Amino acid sequence: MTNQSKRHNRLNKPADQRKDLKRGLVTELRRHGQIKCTMARARAIRGDADHIITLANDGSLQSRRPALGYVYDKQRVHAVLEKAPKRYAESNGGYTRVLRTWPR
């Protein structure tokens, strides 16, 4: 029997701590534009960060509410929602990049 429960990276944390960690990292990514963290954490938040930008490209109230509920800093969400349609209009995904910076 194969293990089919490994659909996402668990980051060695319980579910509530993992969700808070991801929300905090996405918030800091939106605040500073870039963050330094481990490769596992960066890969884990890439999809969530891209999803916030995808919601911002739509621009409707229905897409604003999930973004406002996910990111801790509400002012930063409003800034992303204003700038994203102009900045990412031509892209269909892949808004964030993960770069290796230092050896561990």
Side-chain angles (χ1 to χ4, degrees):
M1 180 177 261
T2 60
N3 183 9
Q4 296 181 357
S5 64
K6 183 75 171 161
R7 301 257 187 241
H8 54 83
N9 192 351
R10 294 190 182 156
L11 301 174
N12 292 326
K13 301 210 175 291
D16 59 339
Q17 293 177 16
R18 182 175 57 247
K19 289 175 187 175
D20 287 341
L21 174 71
K22 289 173 73 174
R23 285 181 68 188
L25 288 173
V26 169
T27 301
E28 291 303 310
L29 178 64
R30 292 291 121 222
R31 182 177 293 144
H32 300 294
Q34 64 182 4
I35 56 172
K36 289 184 179 179
C37 61
T38 62
M39 288 295 287
R41 289 180 179 183
R43 287 180 182 144
I45 67 163
R46 182 192 301 172
D48 297 333
D50 284 350
H51 186 65
I52 298 295
I53 296 172
T54 303
L55 291 173
N57 279 338
D58 186 20
S60 67
L61 180 63
Q62 186 176 2
S63 63
R64 277 180 177 257
R65 287 184 174 155
L68 286 168
Y70 190 79
V71 177
Y72 289 126
D73 189 2
K74 306 306 178 203
Q75 294 174 345
R76 194 52 38 197
V77 174
H78 290 299
V80 168
L81 291 172
E82 291 173 8
K83 295 177 186 175
K86 298 174 214 160
R87 184 173 179 185
Y88 300 108
E90 299 170 3
S91 300
N92 289 329
Y95 306 114
T96 57
R97 274 185 274 165
V98 176
L99 302 174
R100 185 178 301 272
T101 56
W102 74 89
R104 287 203 39 161

